[in-house]
Amino acid sequence: MAEHEPTPEQLAQIAAENEDDEHSVNYKPPAQKSIQEIQSLDQDDESLRKYKETLLGPVPASVDPSCPNVVVTKLTLVCESAPFPLELDLTGDLDSLKKHSFVLKEGVQYRIKITFKVNKEIVSGLKYCQHTRRRGVTIDKSVYMVGSYGPRAEEYDFLTTPEEAPKGFLVCGSYSIKSEFTDDDKTEHLKWEWNLKICKEWKN
């Protein structure tokens, strides 16, 4: 069955309805300190020193100086009803991601999961932003505050709050999404594009 493509007026209406639905908060970044500076503070206070060790966790013994501080490795659409994995590997050729599409059934509950690693220094105010476009019109912009994280050997996972995929014949179709992972210093850790297709059923 052919997709019911919305008119430009209908796309504008969808964009207006989504305009106020941004997942952002007012946030003021703290003064930046290196992991070494934080560890060296209050060395005479044993309880505070142990608390910082618990809070910051074990710092990697050695890190390649040329390695980026923040590495985003994967994006996952977490959906219990999905019959197949919905994962994007962000460590390879990012241009190839635009050649394929996630298929998401209309009306299902899902969450976005970002997997990333912090290698050297504490990074503050991480956030994930995505711009969703259809037929060249931006219909949604979402900003998710991820938070501040210290270096460790293991990866971190950030999960958004549950969302419902749109439903109805006007919203079924293909969408292009531009994503970026940034921080308080406006450092662009990763930027990529991917595609999403909303369908009546999982198998389409």
Side-chain angles (χ1 to χ4, degrees), residues 92-99 193:
D93 180 11
L94 297 180
D95 285 337
S96 67
L97 301 179
K98 294 182 286 186
K99 300 176 183 177
E193 296 182 32

Side-chain angles (χ1 to χ4, degrees), residues 73-90 97 100-106 108-115 128 158-159 163 165 192 194-199 201-204:
T73 59
K74 185 167 57 177
L75 179 146
T76 307
L77 294 186
V78 180
C79 179
E80 293 183 359
S81 62
F84 39 76
L86 301 172
E87 295 182 352
L88 284 181
D89 180 1
L90 301 176
L97 301 179
H100 307 282
S101 295
F102 271 141
V103 173
L104 196 63
K105 182 181 177 181
E106 65 170 359
V108 298
Q109 292 283 327
Y110 73 97
R111 302 170 77 182
I112 298 174
K113 181 171 73 173
I114 304 292
T115 303
Y128 169 65
F158 169 76
L159 272 168
E163 300 184 41
W192 69 100
W194 51 291
N195 299 304
L196 180 67
K197 189 173 184 180
I198 305 294
C199 298
E201 300 293 338
W202 285 110
K203 294 181 180 180
N204 191 320

Side-chain angles (χ1 to χ4, degrees), residues 24-196:
S24 60
V25 295
N26 292 325
Y27 176 79
K28 293 183 179 180
Q32 185 72 25
K33 287 184 180 295
S34 70
I35 191 73
Q36 289 82 8
E37 287 176 318
I38 293 174
Q39 289 177 324
S40 64
L41 292 173
D42 306 303
Q43 284 294 307
D44 296 334
D45 190 326
E46 182 68 12
S47 61
L48 184 57
R49 183 183 65 79
K50 289 183 178 179
Y51 172 73
K52 286 190 291 186
E53 288 179 357
T54 302
L55 186 64
L56 297 173
V59 179
S62 60
V63 178
D64 183 352
S66 64
C67 181
N69 188 39
V70 177
V71 178
V72 188
T73 59
K74 185 167 57 177
L75 179 146
T76 307
L77 294 186
V78 180
C79 179
E80 293 183 359
S81 62
F84 39 76
L86 301 172
E87 295 182 352
L88 284 181
D89 180 1
L90 301 176
T91 61
D93 180 11
L94 297 180
D95 285 337
S96 67
L97 301 179
K98 294 182 286 186
K99 300 176 183 177
H100 307 282
S101 295
F102 271 141
V103 173
L104 196 63
K105 182 181 177 181
E106 65 170 359
V108 298
Q109 292 283 327
Y110 73 97
R111 302 170 77 182
I112 298 174
K113 181 171 73 173
I114 304 292
T115 303
F116 63 97
K117 193 169 183 293
V118 180
N119 290 311
K120 295 179 287 189
E121 296 291 345
I122 293 174
V123 60
S124 63
L126 285 172
K127 58 184 174 181
Y128 169 65
C129 309
Q130 70 175 34
H131 298 254
T132 304
R133 297 171 63 87
R134 188 173 185 194
R135 299 179 66 190
V137 177
T138 300
I139 60 171
D140 184 55
K141 176 185 176 184
S142 297
V143 180
Y144 302 89
M145 291 306 305
V146 177
S148 301
Y149 295 82
R152 71 176 190 183
E154 298 81 16
E155 292 182 325
Y156 291 101
D157 285 328
F158 169 76
L159 272 168
T160 67
T161 55
E163 300 184 41
E164 182 179 291
K167 56 186 175 181
F169 73 91
L170 283 179
V171 299
C172 285
S174 298
Y175 297 80
S176 61
I177 301 174
K178 291 185 177 181
S179 296
E180 58 181 340
F181 203 64
T182 63
D183 62 25
D184 280 339
D185 295 327
K186 302 188 185 304
T187 301
E188 186 180 279
H189 299 292
L190 192 68
K191 192 173 188 177
W192 69 100
E193 296 182 32
W194 51 291
N195 299 304
L196 180 67

